[in-house]
Tab-separated table of all heavy atoms in Angstrom:
chain	number	residue	atom	x	y	z
Q	1	ARG	N	0.848	-1.206	0.019
Q	1	ARG	CA	0.005	-0.007	-0.024
Q	1	ARG	C	0.891	1.228	0.013
Q	1	ARG	O	2.029	1.224	0.544
Q	1	ARG	CB	-0.898	-0.001	1.233
Q	1	ARG	CG	-1.808	-1.184	1.405
Q	1	ARG	CD	-2.636	-1.113	2.666
Q	1	ARG	NE	-1.756	-1.062	3.837
Q	1	ARG	CZ	-2.032	-1.697	4.962
Q	1	ARG	NH1	-3.066	-2.460	5.099
Q	1	ARG	NH2	-1.162	-1.567	5.998
Q	2	LEU	N	0.354	2.341	-0.525
Q	2	LEU	CA	1.098	3.614	-0.463
Q	2	LEU	C	1.233	4.025	0.981
Q	2	LEU	O	0.324	3.849	1.818
Q	2	LEU	CB	0.280	4.672	-1.226
Q	2	LEU	CG	0.254	4.637	-2.717
Q	2	LEU	CD1	-0.816	5.494	-3.316
Q	2	LEU	CD2	1.605	5.104	-3.270
Q	3	VAL	N	2.419	4.508	1.322
Q	3	VAL	CA	2.597	5.059	2.700
Q	3	VAL	C	1.571	6.162	2.918
Q	3	VAL	O	1.147	6.815	1.904
Q	3	VAL	CB	4.059	5.504	2.935
Q	3	VAL	CG1	5.025	4.309	2.801
Q	3	VAL	CG2	4.402	6.656	1.976
Q	4	PRO	N	1.199	6.418	4.148
Q	4	PRO	CA	0.191	7.431	4.376
Q	4	PRO	C	0.507	8.757	3.821
Q	4	PRO	O	1.659	9.194	3.688
Q	4	PRO	CB	0.117	7.499	5.939
Q	4	PRO	CG	0.536	6.124	6.379
Q	4	PRO	CD	1.631	5.762	5.362
Q	5	GLY	N	-0.558	9.434	3.379
Q	5	GLY	CA	-0.440	10.759	2.801
Q	5	GLY	C	-1.082	10.819	1.371
Q	5	GLY	O	-1.491	9.846	0.849
Q	6	ARG	N	-1.218	12.073	0.891
Q	6	ARG	CA	-1.692	12.317	-0.417
Q	6	ARG	C	-0.528	12.529	-1.338
Q	6	ARG	O	0.321	13.407	-1.118
Q	6	ARG	CB	-2.606	13.497	-0.378
Q	6	ARG	CG	-3.308	13.794	-1.721
Q	6	ARG	CD	-4.447	14.798	-1.606
Q	6	ARG	NE	-4.042	16.023	-1.013
Q	6	ARG	CZ	-4.670	16.585	0.088
Q	6	ARG	NH1	-5.677	16.029	0.669
Q	6	ARG	NH2	-4.240	17.742	0.552
Q	7	HIS	N	-0.395	11.708	-2.390
Q	7	HIS	CA	0.771	11.697	-3.233
Q	7	HIS	C	0.428	12.377	-4.576
Q	7	HIS	O	-0.301	11.715	-5.416
Q	7	HIS	CB	1.268	10.245	-3.467
Q	7	HIS	CG	1.598	9.565	-2.131
Q	7	HIS	ND1	2.853	9.617	-1.597
Q	7	HIS	CD2	0.851	8.830	-1.317
Q	7	HIS	CE1	2.852	8.952	-0.430
Q	7	HIS	NE2	1.642	8.467	-0.262
Q	8	ARG	N	0.923	13.549	-4.814
Q	8	ARG	CA	0.600	14.252	-6.056
Q	8	ARG	C	1.385	13.638	-7.190
Q	8	ARG	O	2.606	13.304	-7.082
Q	8	ARG	CB	1.003	15.755	-5.950
Q	8	ARG	CG	0.441	16.545	-7.076
Q	8	ARG	CD	0.326	17.957	-6.692
Q	8	ARG	NE	0.012	18.762	-7.862
Q	8	ARG	CZ	0.019	20.038	-7.896
Q	8	ARG	NH1	0.318	20.757	-6.825
Q	8	ARG	NH2	-0.311	20.719	-8.974
Q	9	THR	N	0.703	13.383	-8.318
Q	9	THR	CA	1.317	12.623	-9.425
Q	9	THR	C	0.639	13.026	-10.708
Q	9	THR	O	-0.188	13.952	-10.747
Q	9	THR	CB	1.220	11.123	-9.118
Q	9	THR	OG1	2.012	10.401	-10.104
Q	9	THR	CG2	-0.219	10.602	-9.117
Q	10	THR	N	0.934	12.273	-11.763
Q	10	THR	CA	0.328	12.494	-13.064
Q	10	THR	C	-0.201	11.142	-13.558
Q	10	THR	O	0.227	10.092	-13.097
Q	10	THR	CB	1.369	13.050	-14.091
Q	10	THR	OG1	2.348	12.004	-14.306
Q	10	THR	CG2	2.018	14.315	-13.635
Q	11	LEU	N	-1.082	11.258	-14.618
Q	11	LEU	CA	-1.627	10.032	-15.165
Q	11	LEU	C	-0.475	9.146	-15.847
Q	11	LEU	O	-0.495	7.950	-15.601
Q	11	LEU	CB	-2.729	10.324	-16.172
Q	11	LEU	CG	-3.970	10.847	-15.527
Q	11	LEU	CD1	-4.970	11.360	-16.610
Q	11	LEU	CD2	-4.601	9.809	-14.631
Q	12	PRO	N	0.478	9.747	-16.564
Q	12	PRO	CA	1.512	8.896	-17.091
Q	12	PRO	C	2.373	8.229	-15.989
Q	12	PRO	O	2.784	7.060	-16.189
Q	12	PRO	CB	2.390	9.919	-17.908
Q	12	PRO	CG	1.447	10.995	-18.289
Q	12	PRO	CD	0.481	11.128	-17.089
Q	13	GLU	N	2.573	8.921	-14.888
Q	13	GLU	CA	3.356	8.255	-13.793
Q	13	GLU	C	2.513	7.112	-13.191
Q	13	GLU	O	3.064	6.073	-12.859
Q	13	GLU	CB	3.633	9.253	-12.736
Q	13	GLU	CG	4.715	10.242	-13.152
Q	13	GLU	CD	4.899	11.488	-12.179
Q	13	GLU	OE1	4.039	11.728	-11.341
Q	13	GLU	OE2	5.934	12.092	-12.364
Q	14	ILE	N	1.197	7.289	-13.037
Q	14	ILE	CA	0.367	6.182	-12.576
Q	14	ILE	C	0.399	5.069	-13.511
Q	14	ILE	O	0.547	3.885	-13.075
Q	14	ILE	CB	-1.097	6.723	-12.356
Q	14	ILE	CG1	-1.174	7.712	-11.196
Q	14	ILE	CG2	-2.023	5.532	-12.101
Q	14	ILE	CD1	-2.534	8.412	-11.076
Q	15	GLU	N	0.329	5.342	-14.789
Q	15	GLU	CA	0.327	4.239	-15.777
Q	15	GLU	C	1.632	3.444	-15.686
Q	15	GLU	O	1.634	2.237	-15.726
Q	15	GLU	CB	0.165	4.814	-17.177
Q	15	GLU	CG	0.165	3.752	-18.254
Q	15	GLU	CD	-0.076	4.331	-19.607
Q	15	GLU	OE1	0.194	5.550	-19.831
Q	15	GLU	OE2	-0.535	3.578	-20.487
Q	16	GLN	N	2.751	4.154	-15.564
Q	16	GLN	CA	4.033	3.465	-15.518
Q	16	GLN	C	4.148	2.586	-14.292
Q	16	GLN	O	4.470	1.456	-14.341
Q	16	GLN	CB	5.190	4.477	-15.480
Q	16	GLN	CG	6.557	3.898	-15.450
Q	16	GLN	CD	6.881	3.085	-16.683
Q	16	GLN	OE1	6.514	3.456	-17.802
Q	16	GLN	NE2	7.499	1.934	-16.496
Q	17	PHE	N	3.811	3.130	-13.112
Q	17	PHE	CA	4.004	2.407	-11.847
Q	17	PHE	C	2.929	1.388	-11.516
Q	17	PHE	O	3.204	0.336	-11.077
Q	17	PHE	CB	4.161	3.400	-10.678
Q	17	PHE	CG	4.675	2.792	-9.397
Q	17	PHE	CD1	6.016	2.582	-9.207
Q	17	PHE	CD2	3.785	2.430	-8.363
Q	17	PHE	CE1	6.487	2.039	-8.041
Q	17	PHE	CE2	4.245	1.882	-7.212
Q	17	PHE	CZ	5.637	1.613	-7.055
Q	18	PHE	N	1.650	1.808	-11.722
Q	18	PHE	CA	0.531	0.968	-11.323
Q	18	PHE	C	-0.069	0.103	-12.432
Q	18	PHE	O	-1.026	-0.667	-12.222
Q	18	PHE	CB	-0.555	1.782	-10.660
Q	18	PHE	CG	-0.157	2.291	-9.278
Q	18	PHE	CD1	0.257	3.593	-9.146
Q	18	PHE	CD2	-0.079	1.467	-8.190
Q	18	PHE	CE1	0.630	4.047	-7.843
Q	18	PHE	CE2	0.305	1.933	-6.926
Q	18	PHE	CZ	0.689	3.216	-6.780
Q	19	VAL	N	0.510	0.200	-13.625
Q	19	VAL	CA	0.099	-0.703	-14.751
Q	19	VAL	C	1.331	-1.452	-15.223
Q	19	VAL	O	1.387	-2.655	-15.069
Q	19	VAL	CB	-0.575	0.128	-15.927
Q	19	VAL	CG1	-0.932	-0.788	-17.039
Q	19	VAL	CG2	-1.807	0.819	-15.429
Q	20	GLU	N	2.229	-0.732	-15.844
Q	20	GLU	CA	3.405	-1.386	-16.538
Q	20	GLU	C	4.276	-2.170	-15.550
Q	20	GLU	O	4.724	-3.253	-15.847
Q	20	GLU	CB	4.270	-0.348	-17.198
Q	20	GLU	CG	3.537	0.480	-18.211
Q	20	GLU	CD	2.987	-0.366	-19.423
Q	20	GLU	OE1	3.608	-1.432	-19.696
Q	20	GLU	OE2	1.918	0.019	-19.974
Q	21	GLU	N	4.523	-1.645	-14.338
Q	21	GLU	CA	5.460	-2.267	-13.388
Q	21	GLU	C	4.762	-3.056	-12.340
Q	21	GLU	O	5.445	-3.699	-11.486
Q	21	GLU	CB	6.352	-1.166	-12.778
Q	21	GLU	CG	7.178	-0.410	-13.765
Q	21	GLU	CD	8.004	0.738	-13.211
Q	21	GLU	OE1	7.989	0.946	-11.948
Q	21	GLU	OE2	8.553	1.557	-13.977
Q	22	ALA	N	3.448	-3.056	-12.245
Q	22	ALA	CA	2.710	-3.617	-11.129
Q	22	ALA	C	2.281	-5.079	-11.436
Q	22	ALA	O	2.293	-5.493	-12.569
Q	22	ALA	CB	1.490	-2.833	-10.832
Q	23	PRO	N	2.044	-5.854	-10.360
Q	23	PRO	CA	1.505	-7.204	-10.622
Q	23	PRO	C	0.157	-7.113	-11.388
Q	23	PRO	O	-0.548	-6.109	-11.292
Q	23	PRO	CB	1.221	-7.722	-9.153
Q	23	PRO	CG	2.006	-6.850	-8.313
Q	23	PRO	CD	2.159	-5.479	-8.954
Q	24	CYS	N	-0.106	-8.149	-12.137
Q	24	CYS	CA	-1.375	-8.267	-12.904
Q	24	CYS	C	-1.515	-7.130	-13.973
Q	24	CYS	O	-2.565	-6.570	-14.126
Q	24	CYS	CB	-2.585	-8.302	-12.013
Q	24	CYS	SG	-2.488	-9.505	-10.666
Q	25	SER	N	-0.362	-6.774	-14.614
Q	25	SER	CA	-0.365	-5.609	-15.454
Q	25	SER	C	-1.357	-5.687	-16.604
Q	25	SER	O	-1.928	-4.686	-17.021
Q	25	SER	CB	1.060	-5.363	-15.966
Q	25	SER	OG	1.573	-6.416	-16.718
Q	26	GLU	N	-1.599	-6.926	-17.131
Q	26	GLU	CA	-2.553	-7.077	-18.243
Q	26	GLU	C	-3.949	-6.639	-17.812
Q	26	GLU	O	-4.649	-5.857	-18.505
Q	26	GLU	CB	-2.541	-8.496	-18.756
Q	26	GLU	CG	-3.095	-8.655	-20.118
Q	26	GLU	CD	-2.844	-10.090	-20.633
Q	26	GLU	OE1	-1.654	-10.447	-20.721
Q	26	GLU	OE2	-3.862	-10.725	-20.929
Q	27	HIS	N	-4.404	-7.112	-16.641
Q	27	HIS	CA	-5.716	-6.680	-16.135
Q	27	HIS	C	-5.687	-5.212	-15.767
Q	27	HIS	O	-6.686	-4.477	-16.021
Q	27	HIS	CB	-6.077	-7.535	-14.929
Q	27	HIS	CG	-7.410	-7.153	-14.350
Q	27	HIS	ND1	-8.612	-7.554	-14.876
Q	27	HIS	CD2	-7.754	-6.391	-13.335
Q	27	HIS	CE1	-9.624	-7.052	-14.241
Q	27	HIS	NE2	-9.107	-6.291	-13.197
Q	28	ARG	N	-4.628	-4.765	-15.169
Q	28	ARG	CA	-4.531	-3.329	-14.799
Q	28	ARG	C	-4.580	-2.406	-16.041
Q	28	ARG	O	-5.161	-1.326	-15.980
Q	28	ARG	CB	-3.217	-3.104	-14.076
Q	28	ARG	CG	-3.243	-3.603	-12.637
Q	28	ARG	CD	-1.841	-3.514	-11.971
Q	28	ARG	NE	-1.909	-3.829	-10.594
Q	28	ARG	CZ	-2.184	-2.931	-9.633
Q	28	ARG	NH1	-2.459	-1.657	-9.936
Q	28	ARG	NH2	-2.199	-3.320	-8.363
Q	29	ARG	N	-4.115	-2.874	-17.148
Q	29	ARG	CA	-4.149	-2.096	-18.406
Q	29	ARG	C	-5.624	-1.881	-18.779
Q	29	ARG	O	-5.993	-0.805	-19.144
Q	29	ARG	CB	-3.411	-2.873	-19.482
Q	29	ARG	CG	-3.650	-2.373	-20.922
Q	29	ARG	CD	-3.175	-0.993	-21.260
Q	29	ARG	NE	-1.790	-0.764	-20.885
Q	29	ARG	CZ	-1.295	0.388	-20.574
Q	29	ARG	NH1	-2.013	1.453	-20.566
Q	29	ARG	NH2	-0.009	0.519	-20.231
Q	30	MET	N	-6.484	-2.920	-18.656
Q	30	MET	CA	-7.883	-2.757	-19.026
Q	30	MET	C	-8.572	-1.760	-18.029
Q	30	MET	O	-9.282	-0.861	-18.489
Q	30	MET	CB	-8.587	-4.130	-18.891
Q	30	MET	CG	-10.075	-4.069	-19.180
Q	30	MET	SD	-10.836	-5.684	-19.174
Q	30	MET	CE	-10.643	-6.130	-17.434
Q	31	VAL	N	-8.274	-1.795	-16.759
Q	31	VAL	CA	-8.841	-0.913	-15.782
Q	31	VAL	C	-8.347	0.511	-16.100
Q	31	VAL	O	-9.144	1.439	-16.085
Q	31	VAL	CB	-8.471	-1.339	-14.366
Q	31	VAL	CG1	-8.940	-0.297	-13.376
Q	31	VAL	CG2	-9.101	-2.701	-14.037
Q	32	PHE	N	-7.064	0.655	-16.370
Q	32	PHE	CA	-6.516	1.993	-16.625
Q	32	PHE	C	-7.054	2.595	-17.886
Q	32	PHE	O	-7.298	3.796	-17.958
Q	32	PHE	CB	-5.011	1.906	-16.666
Q	32	PHE	CG	-4.366	3.283	-16.769
Q	32	PHE	CD1	-4.286	4.118	-15.677
Q	32	PHE	CD2	-3.921	3.786	-17.985
Q	32	PHE	CE1	-3.692	5.388	-15.775
Q	32	PHE	CE2	-3.320	5.035	-18.100
Q	32	PHE	CZ	-3.273	5.818	-16.987
């Protein structure tokens, strides 16, 4: 889980970290 706090970011950064580099990336791609 993300450490506590609000983490300012961008959609491309989310895509890289939470889709491309994350577990279950194929399913995450559909959600993203």
Side-chain angles (χ1 to χ4, degrees):
R1 301 178 301 221
L2 286 164
V3 297
R6 186 168 52 234
H7 304 270
R8 191 160 173 188
T9 189
T10 65
L11 290 171
E13 290 170 344
I14 291 172
E15 181 178 22
Q16 181 64 40
F17 192 82
F18 289 104
V19 177
E20 301 299 330
E21 298 173 8
C24 310
S25 62
E26 201 170 299
H27 179 79
R28 286 171 171 274
R29 166 66 51 208
M30 180 178 62
V31 173
F32 186 77

